[in-house]
Amino acid sequence: MYEWYPWGGEFRVGDPSSSVAVVTLGDKVQLPEEKVAIWGPLKTENLGIEKVVANVVSNPNIRTLVVCGREVRGHRSGDSLLAFHRYGVDANGRIIEARGAVPYIENLPEEAVERFRDQVEIMDLIGEVDPAVIETVIDERLVLGLPSFGEPLIVVKIERERSAAVFEGAIALHSEIMLHDDLRIVGVASGSDAEASSGGDA
Amino acid sequence: MLNFSKEQTRFEIAGLKIGGQPGELPRVLFGTVFYRKQFSDVDASAIKRVQELVSAQEEMTGITGVPAVVDIFIDDEDDLATRIDTVADMVSGPISVDIPDPDLKVKVLEHLDAGGLLERTIYNSINLGLTPEELDALLEHTPASAIVLAFNPKDMSTDGKIDILETGAGFTEKGLMEIASDCGIKAQLLDTAATPFEHMAAEPIRSIPVMKNRWGLPTGCAIHNTVESWLWMKDNRKEYKEQYTINDIGSLGLPAIMGADYLVYGPIDNAPRAFPFIAMVDKFLAEGASDYFGISQDDDHPRGLMP
């Protein structure tokens, strides 16, 4: 695991002191390691964006996020990322104004959402796959010499309470069902059949 | 191997039989066309390639007895009619329409209705991204069947998946199953929503028997997506090409052994590998159901076709 970027993902790491990160959406683009802190694709408009946000705010040196490459059709992860940065999420976790299929952010604390929106400026190059064009924009951002945003923010995923099912003398699969030792499935809490009728020659 | 005390519903969709107790019917395999970048331009050569792939899948059904559905990926308004009609003209059974973009869903439903294809349609999928426009379109142009996707980004556990199907989990006013019923969709196929590793990746597998036990409806998933998003495998895919294929196809056995009625196996190119593998799993399931629970199979089950 890198010192930065605790959520992992499909990305490459360049110079962590660089102020530029790049999202390449549905494409793989080769970029100069010495100029870019981190870059990689973004396929999904929910879990993928959560990873981008958590990883970006872990490195306060990143002040610009270039979004390039071809849009992932249907998912519209690029459009959703731009909408997330511009408008944030509603009370239900839905990215406001996003046109993706399922644009929901559910595993990030509000602090991370706001931090991301404040920390980085987004350069919209959606559709662009030419490394030379992308590098030109990277260079333009680097010469600004933007300062670090401050301390890293290491985002901890929102954890939800779990309760394990415990069955005496049966095979546990879920709190709602148990398996008899002959692998007949019998409903427990759902109120479906309380006891299995014997099937076939069992 | 498993058997449910809950009665298991069997549907017949345009001649396709799906559902029931494990080992009763063979699993149904959905192979997707028009998905990869090779199909970004739907020209004559792409159509020819799709026709070859659909024929190859049909041929595998003939050899193995494992039923097939062609899942048509649609992400472009300009050629949606070509994609649908190409497949609908080739196969006699149901077609699945896989449309991630909410705006396109309405146009696809209109086209299916105009072409008299709704009775053959498996709509993939009704999910929490449902828009008012999509709901209106489903009411007006109601498909015979729909996959109802149990993806709940708030809670990816089995309980969270049940919640989105049953109540909407706060995302929709009603549960997704009730919405599908209100639209008049007769054959609901539940999808336990595969997720990447470290995002409760085992829950879609656990959910198969839990949902079948709860509702008795045909249940399945696209577990190959978990393999496809596996980071280590992605990084080493070129070096371990054969191993990737083994993992991709082998993953289908996990939900199958837990009672899945259907499996979306990814690009249809994999038909020659997926069908014999699932036929073997079906033979195990059939013998397990027969030897212990007294369940018998039809003659065209892989058990009979592939002695």
Side-chain angles (χ1 to χ4, degrees):
Chain A
M1 190 62 74
Y2 300 100
E3 183 183 353
W4 319 101
Y5 321 130
W7 280 33
E10 189 181 0
F11 55 74
R12 293 194 61 184
V13 171
D15 179 359
S17 68
S18 168
S19 65
V20 177
V22 183
V23 163
T24 62
L25 298 178
D27 287 292
K28 287 184 178 172
V29 182
Q30 187 57 42
L31 296 171
E33 294 186 4
E34 68 280 9
K35 292 182 180 176
V36 183
I38 178 173
W39 75 98
L42 172 61
K43 306 283 177 62
T44 58
E45 71 283 24
N46 34 62
L47 301 180
I49 290 178
E50 289 179 355
K51 281 185 182 173
V52 168
V53 170
N55 287 331
V56 163
V57 299
S58 76
N59 182 350
N61 296 322
I62 298 172
R63 304 301 311 278
T64 296
L65 184 61
V66 177
V67 182
C68 61
R70 280 166 292 196
E71 186 66 286
V72 179
R73 287 177 172 181
H75 289 286
R76 295 187 182 175
S77 50
D79 170 85
S80 300
L81 178 59
L82 265 55
F84 174 80
H85 185 263
R86 188 170 299 154
Y87 304 112
V89 297
D90 67 17
N92 216 4
R94 192 181 196 288
I95 299 173
I96 298 166
E97 297 289 326
R99 293 181 298 158
V102 189
Y104 285 88
I105 302 298
E106 297 291 346
N107 298 294
L108 294 173
E110 190 178 342
E111 180 190 16
V113 174
E114 293 312 316
R115 162 76 178 243
F116 175 80
R117 297 179 66 202
D118 291 341
Q119 181 179 324
V120 296
E121 188 175 341
I122 286 190
M123 297 288 107
D124 178 5
L125 292 184
I126 293 177
E128 184 60 65
V129 293
D130 184 346
V133 175
I134 297 164
E135 195 171 338
T136 301
V137 174
I138 292 169
D139 289 339
E140 288 170 0
R141 297 302 295 180
L142 288 175
V143 296
L144 297 176
L146 294 171
S148 166
F149 197 71
E151 292 299 310
L153 176 62
I154 305 301
V155 180
V156 177
K157 271 185 197 171
I158 296 174
E159 289 292 338
R160 296 174 176 85
E161 275 189 32
R162 304 283 172 214
S163 59
V166 178
F167 301 118
E168 292 293 332
I171 302 165
L173 183 70
H174 182 260
S175 63
E176 221 168 73
I177 63 175
M178 65 179 186
L179 277 68
H180 276 199
D181 54 10
D182 63 1
L183 294 185
R184 277 174 299 146
I185 287 180
V186 184
V188 179
S190 71
S192 59
D193 306 344
E195 185 68 25
S197 56
S198 72
D201 53 0
Chain B
M1 299 296 287
L2 302 175
N3 187 268
F4 294 89
S5 53
K6 172 84 175 174
E7 186 181 346
Q8 297 296 304
T9 303
R10 282 170 58 156
F11 291 124
E12 189 158 340
I13 309 160
L16 174 85
K17 292 176 186 166
I18 188 168
Q21 291 285 358
E24 196 174 2
L25 294 172
R27 277 60 329 266
V28 175
L29 287 179
F30 287 58
T32 304
V33 292
F34 295 115
Y35 182 65
R36 287 182 165 165
K37 281 182 180 168
Q38 60 178 305
F39 299 115
S40 54
D41 291 323
V42 182
D43 53 18
S45 68
I47 296 293
K48 186 166 178 283
R49 179 71 182 137
V50 163
Q51 288 170 331
E52 289 168 356
L53 291 167
V54 171
S55 294
Q57 180 173 265
E58 298 264 290
E59 189 182 339
M60 292 313 301
T61 292
I63 294 168
T64 63
V66 174
V69 173
V70 180
D71 180 58
I72 310 166
F73 184 73
I74 303 169
D75 62 356
D76 192 337
E77 183 178 350
D78 293 340
D79 55 37
L80 73 86
T82 306
R83 295 187 193 208
I84 293 168
D85 297 348
T86 297
V87 176
D89 290 347
M90 281 195 75
V91 301
S92 57
I95 54 171
S96 166
V97 285
D98 183 351
I99 324 138
D101 190 325
D103 297 342
L104 265 185
K105 288 182 164 184
V106 174
K107 293 182 170 63
V108 169
L109 285 167
E110 288 170 352
H111 178 78
L112 290 164
D113 197 357
L117 293 169
L118 288 172
E119 281 305 304
R120 292 172 58 194
T121 296
I122 300 172
Y123 183 76
N124 184 8
S125 62
I126 291 176
N127 58 53
L128 84 163
L130 184 81
T131 62
E133 295 78 15
E134 180 187 357
L135 183 59
D136 288 345
L138 282 166
L139 285 162
E140 191 177 346
H141 316 286
T142 308
S145 175
I147 288 175
V148 185
L149 182 68
F151 179 62
N152 179 352
K154 212 181 283 185
D155 183 357
M156 294 176 208
S157 72
T158 294
D159 294 336
K161 293 173 191 296
I162 288 171
D163 195 27
I164 190 115
L165 295 179
E166 205 160 55
T167 73
F171 293 108
T172 50
E173 283 186 20
K174 297 176 180 176
L176 295 181
M177 293 171 70
E178 189 178 346
I179 290 172
S181 293
D182 290 349
C183 290
I185 294 166
K186 296 187 185 80
Q188 291 188 34
L189 312 181
L190 306 182
D191 183 331
T192 59
T195 45
F197 285 120
E198 302 305 327
H199 288 86
M200 306 192 104
E203 291 304 295
I205 300 169
R206 187 196 314 280
S207 297
I208 298 278
V210 174
M211 289 185 187
K212 279 180 73 68
N213 175 66
R214 194 178 183 91
W215 293 298
L217 290 172
T219 305
C221 63
I223 199 72
H224 78 97
N225 283 323
T226 303
V227 180
E228 198 176 308
S229 64
W230 180 6
L231 290 174
W232 183 89
M233 205 74 239
K234 270 187 182 177
D235 288 344
N236 296 280
R237 194 168 168 174
K238 280 184 183 162
E239 188 181 351
Y240 296 111
K241 200 173 175 185
E242 185 184 359
Q243 288 83 348
Y244 176 82
T245 303
I246 291 168
N247 290 350
D248 189 41
I249 301 300
S251 69
L252 299 172
L254 302 172
I257 204 72
M258 297 293 270
D261 301 285
Y262 73 93
L263 302 155
V264 181
Y265 69 85
I268 199 171
D269 316 43
N270 271 332
R273 288 162 287 281
F275 279 70
F277 175 74
I278 284 299
M280 178 196 69
V281 174
D282 272 323
K283 282 170 66 67
F284 275 115
L285 289 170
E287 290 200 26
S290 178
D291 294 342
Y292 201 85
F293 298 112
I295 290 172
S296 58
Q297 297 82 32
D298 293 338
D299 291 342
D300 57 357
H301 188 281
R303 189 183 186 191
L305 285 182
M306 305 176 84

